[in-house]
Amino acid sequence: MSVAAITENYTGERLDRLENFHGNQVIYIGWDQHLMFCAPVALALPPDTLFSTLLEDVLPGAFSQHPDFAAVDWDAVEWHLNGDEFKPQPGKSLIEQGVDHKSSIRFSTPGLDGIKGSGS
Amino acid sequence: MTSKKLNMKEKYSLLTRDLEWEYSYRDYEEIFKQESFEGIKITDWSKWEDPFRLTMDSYWKYQAEKEKKLYAIFDAFAQNNGQQNVTDARYVNAIKLFLTGVSPLEYQAYNGFAHTGRQFGGVGARVACQMQALDELRHVQTQIHAMSHYNKHFDGFQDFPHMHDRVWYLSVPKSFFDDARSAGPFEFMVAIGFSFEYVLTNLLFVPFMSGAAYNGDMATVTFGFSAQSDEARHMTLGLEIIKFLLEQHPDNVPIVQRWINKWLWRGYRVLTLVAMMMDYMLPNKVMSWQESFEVYFEEAATSLFKDLARYGIEMPDYAADAIAEKEHLSHQAWSIFYNYGHAAAFHTWMPTDQEMDWLSEKYPNTFDKYYRPRYEKWREMEEAGERFYNPTLPMLCQTCQIPMGFTDMENPTMTSYRQSVYDGERYNFCSNGCKDIFDYEPEKYVQAWLPVHQIYQGNCGGAEMEDVLGEYYRINLGTDNLDFHGSPDEARWNAWHNLQPAEDKLKKAS
């Protein structure tokens, strides 16, 4: 049973199908230990966006208000994609390296633990 | 000679149970189509104990008396400019949240009970649902009237039903009730009648109504008194439905247990809004969220589930998760609203020094360690003229629809992430509770209208955030939203209260 319904074999409309986003896909990015940003952010981007574009053009818009942002050593950053360790390749697109629709990415920046080390 | 007047017992019987008739030319299943598909087995509806024992004529009489008193106080409140006597203009934001987030739920409850009552073959349950539906309709009306006076003097009240259907944080309470109302009739009764009205109601109403009392809001507190006896009846009905279902057939026990697990978690997540209201939005605090949660949930639920143990019902799985969050919940919620204060129809602010000290005292294990440094940074930014607003839309939980601001209680500085893949598509959640609810009935929750995704799909006005907030949500930008400091609400409040010293000066001069 995938739902208790009065009609047999009821199926629900998938409201967030990839094709509803006009050529974009949604991805989520959270910065570990930086909860000044209260939740991971949601972004709508074309699936063929290069990872380097994400790093250089998108992340500063989302996270640069934090004083730690300027100090991030991007070579030392540790990444997770949908819960698994992940080594992004900057020259490849999101979709080429498995960052598909509604994927969740988190990154941690060793040595940077937020405002006064509080995880904010 | 027989009396012309019916005694109470006769009247009660004639006006409730006796309204039933025999179905002679249609099948029972055809008339009560929704009674069996959830798997609940009813063997004898006559075992339903009527919890209200009210007839319609005495109901009207009793409610009319209460309303007369209530509206006399509303009039007095308005004529005496009661809005000027609340503790502080910041308080009014708590009732903006109530009117946009909670009052429309009363209307949803009215719809829900009216629909659900029709689905029951037992006349006792039908009459009980009808009474509760009327109560809920009365509550939404009297709440609107109680708060309408504030609409003349403060911003953000003007479009509450429109906002309830559209604004991102209001999708949290709205989707909660949509979920309950689109369930079968027995699940609705366990969801709203029992889990919400019986187990969680004190965590919702006591904070708002005591908050009103502590902060000089006579209009709202009087509504609270007027609703109190209704709420007591609703709680009785909630408990009756659970006992009835459990006594009817042993096969009902696991179904009811699953619904209790689900709906206590769903309801608890909605109460996140109450947690932050208590700890952050009341200038005069009643008690902390943690204290309230300990009294009204931990102690009350423990004794309730002890009573229900004889039916084989256990404390819900997720109660431990809710208990673990009690020292964090309100701070995480306020952080969400402070981040997105530009997209809310009420004002947010950083606590004063005195309020921060109160939070440190009430939350000795968490506030100074995790939240004070964040707030001090935000205050510093505000003082530098760069009040922090999060420029990017947040990731939402597929089930509760709250931004993913909750953390892992083993490691409270780490966001809690959960994910499921269903029918080739990813779905993300804030907690085990929300993930399990989705996993059990994915065909329901794939339909969630997640505000952030809807904005990205272009379904909420234009592509610019100003179009979404201004035209689609109908938030008056620069007036209803942003920080309390610098708001027109604050300016008006200060103007009112500077009148007093001016008068004093005149008196002294003469």
Side-chain angles (χ1 to χ4, degrees):
Chain A
M1 184 178 73
S2 58
V3 71
I6 196 161
T7 42
E8 270 179 56
N9 303 317
Y10 174 88
T11 53
E13 184 189 351
R14 280 115 179 94
L15 245 57
D16 293 325
R17 294 191 312 274
L18 179 61
E19 53 269 36
N20 292 355
F21 289 86
H22 311 291
N24 288 327
Q25 65 176 27
V26 176
I27 62 166
Y28 312 103
I29 302 186
W31 184 7
D32 286 355
Q33 308 295 335
H34 288 79
L35 292 172
M36 183 171 117
F37 305 100
C38 63
V41 297
L43 301 164
L45 296 169
D48 61 1
T49 304
L50 293 179
F51 208 88
S52 58
T53 308
L54 184 72
L55 292 179
E56 289 155 23
D57 298 343
V58 180
L59 294 193
F63 298 122
S64 64
Q65 289 179 84
H66 199 290
D68 280 353
F69 191 78
V72 172
D73 171 5
W74 290 99
D75 295 329
V77 167
E78 291 161 8
W79 299 86
H80 282 81
L81 171 64
N82 296 320
D84 300 323
E85 280 183 31
F86 173 56
K87 293 235 177 299
Q89 295 172 273
K92 282 193 172 177
S93 71
L94 296 174
I95 198 71
E96 277 177 302
Q97 48 197 318
V99 183
D100 52 13
H101 186 44
K102 294 197 275 169
S103 277
S104 168
I105 293 175
R106 16 178 294 247
F107 68 101
S108 60
T109 49
L112 298 175
D113 293 325
I115 312 293
K116 295 180 183 163
S118 67
S120 288
Chain B
M1 190 181 131
T2 53
S3 165
K4 279 185 190 165
K5 216 171 166 202
L6 296 168
N7 68 31
M8 286 298 284
K9 205 178 161 191
E10 287 167 328
K11 198 157 90 175
Y12 171 73
S13 166
L14 286 168
L15 291 177
T16 57
R17 298 295 172 106
D18 199 51
L19 296 173
E20 182 68 319
W21 64 89
E22 297 274 315
Y23 309 112
S24 55
Y25 59 95
R26 291 285 186 193
D27 289 340
Y28 183 90
E29 287 74 24
E30 199 186 353
I31 299 167
F32 300 106
K33 284 178 194 165
Q34 296 193 15
E35 209 181 276
S36 57
F37 80 95
E38 297 171 276
I40 289 291
K41 292 175 183 158
I42 303 296
T43 52
D44 183 3
W45 270 113
S46 74
K47 292 282 184 336
W48 175 275
E49 289 288 334
D50 230 329
F52 291 178
R53 302 207 176 272
L54 259 184
T55 55
M56 202 41 83
D57 60 336
S58 50
Y59 178 84
W60 291 136
K61 191 169 161 239
Y62 186 58
Q63 300 296 58
E65 279 167 15
K66 287 199 297 186
E67 301 239 324
K68 242 187 253 169
K69 289 179 198 156
L70 179 63
Y71 282 86
I73 290 173
F74 289 170
D75 284 348
F77 183 78
Q79 282 166 21
N80 290 311
N81 282 319
Q83 81 283 354
Q84 295 191 9
N85 299 328
V86 298
T87 42
D88 176 8
R90 292 181 307 164
Y91 163 73
V92 178
N93 292 286
I95 57 174
K96 293 178 194 177
L97 183 62
F98 194 89
L99 185 68
T100 53
V102 180
S103 300
L105 301 186
E106 305 272 13
Y107 189 70
Q108 289 236 51
Y110 150 69
N111 276 312
F113 280 102
H115 166 81
T116 299
R118 167 61 184 85
Q119 312 308 321
F120 292 139
V123 65
R126 283 211 297 276
V127 171
C129 285
Q130 180 194 27
M131 297 278 194
Q132 183 157 352
L134 290 168
D135 279 345
E136 305 291 359
L137 191 59
R138 186 177 100 82
H139 291 180
V140 65
Q141 286 173 341
T142 44
Q143 282 168 24
I144 293 166
H145 289 151
M147 293 177 204
S148 66
H149 181 68
Y150 289 100
N151 182 41
K152 297 174 191 161
H153 302 282
F154 294 90
D155 298 315
F157 286 96
Q158 68 281 354
D159 266 319
F160 71 93
H162 178 91
M163 287 180 181
H164 186 75
D165 287 343
R166 297 183 179 209
V167 177
W168 59 279
Y169 55 92
L170 300 174
S171 82
V172 175
K174 178 183 162 62
S175 62
F176 167 85
F177 244 96
D178 286 348
D179 188 351
R181 282 178 56 201
S182 56
F186 292 110
E187 184 175 349
F188 176 84
M189 292 302 282
V190 172
I192 304 304
F194 176 73
S195 300
F196 204 68
E197 297 273 349
Y198 188 84
V199 189
L200 298 173
T201 192
N202 284 334
L203 276 170
L204 176 67
F205 277 94
V206 176
F208 270 107
M209 298 312 146
S210 329
Y214 272 57
N215 288 279
D217 177 4
M218 283 313 292
T220 305
V221 80
T222 310
F223 157 76
F225 282 128
S226 178
Q228 213 166 33
S229 53
D230 302 346
E231 295 298 340
R233 269 188 284 116
H234 303 172
M235 289 179 77
T236 318
L237 175 59
L239 198 57
E240 171 57 26
I241 186 79
I242 284 288
K243 290 187 171 167
F244 176 72
L245 291 179
L246 296 172
E247 283 168 6
Q248 283 290 304
H249 202 285
D251 289 356
N252 295 344
V253 175
I255 301 174
V256 170
Q257 177 77 62
R258 189 170 48 73
W259 286 339
I260 292 174
N261 294 351
K262 168 181 172 180
W263 286 100
L264 280 182
W265 185 254
R266 294 283 276 125
Y268 163 73
R269 272 291 184 244
V270 172
L271 294 180
T272 300
L273 296 172
V274 180
M276 76 165 191
M277 189 280 297
M278 290 187 77
D279 285 345
Y280 289 90
M281 300 177 79
L282 297 179
N284 272 355
K285 318 282 188 208
V286 179
M287 55 166 83
S288 69
W289 163 257
Q290 180 180 346
E291 289 165 332
S292 159
F293 186 78
E294 285 167 355
V295 175
Y296 295 117
F297 184 79
E298 288 186 62
E299 287 173 25
T302 305
S303 65
L304 168 68
F305 284 97
K306 235 179 243 166
D307 277 356
L308 294 176
R310 67 195 156 102
Y311 298 107
I313 291 289
E314 293 167 1
M315 188 73 155
D317 302 348
Y318 312 115
D321 295 346
I323 292 166
E325 286 182 351
K326 68 187 175 186
E327 294 178 85
H328 294 273
L329 189 74
S330 65
H331 318 304
Q332 296 183 347
W334 191 241
S335 292
I336 292 171
F337 281 88
Y338 190 82
N339 264 243
Y340 295 102
H342 48 323
F346 60 88
H347 300 298
T348 49
W349 56 86
M350 271 296 101
T352 62
D353 287 337
Q354 205 187 354
E355 288 167 342
M356 292 247 216
D357 291 344
W358 182 85
L359 290 162
S360 301
E361 186 199 317
K362 292 294 179 184
Y363 295 96
N365 301 320
T366 56
F367 186 74
D368 286 351
K369 191 173 174 188
Y370 301 113
Y371 303 103
R372 188 187 274 269
R374 182 187 305 176
Y375 292 173
E376 286 175 351
K377 173 67 185 168
W378 280 340
R379 204 144 74 171
E380 203 180 285
M381 290 173 78
E382 188 189 332
E383 282 162 6
E386 291 166 355
R387 200 278 198 192
F388 175 70
Y389 290 109
N390 193 323
T392 320
L393 300 180
M395 176 183 190
L396 305 180
C397 171
Q398 183 78 24
T399 304
C400 71
Q401 309 200 2
I402 300 177
M404 297 259 298
F406 303 110
T407 60
D408 176 358
M409 286 301 117
E410 302 281 302
N411 189 354
T413 58
M414 285 292 285
T415 304
S416 166
Y417 292 90
R418 299 288 184 278
Q419 193 179 74
S420 295
V421 176
Y422 174 70
D423 195 21
E425 197 170 322
R426 295 182 194 282
Y427 296 91
N428 295 280
F429 312 95
C430 69
S431 55
N432 290 334
C434 284
K435 176 176 155 56
D436 291 348
I437 290 165
F438 175 94
D439 287 345
Y440 194 79
E441 288 188 296
E443 287 295 337
K444 187 166 199 180
Y445 300 97
V446 296
Q447 303 172 65
W449 193 94
L450 296 180
V452 168
H453 292 173
Q454 289 299 314
I455 291 169
Y456 282 145
Q457 290 181 30
N459 297 334
C460 304
E464 297 302 318
M465 277 316 287
E466 287 202 350
D467 299 330
V468 174
L469 300 176
E471 286 168 32
Y472 187 73
Y473 287 176
R474 291 195 201 154
I475 293 173
N476 293 318
L477 300 177
T479 304
D480 299 341
N481 62 344
L482 305 180
D483 203 281
F484 175 72
H485 299 296
S487 68
D489 269 8
E490 183 194 42
R492 273 190 298 270
W493 178 262
N494 289 342
W496 296 340
H497 291 276
N498 288 337
L499 285 174
Q500 196 58 43
E503 279 172 10
D504 287 347
K505 274 180 212 160
L506 277 174
K507 270 181 211 159
K508 274 178 198 163
S510 60

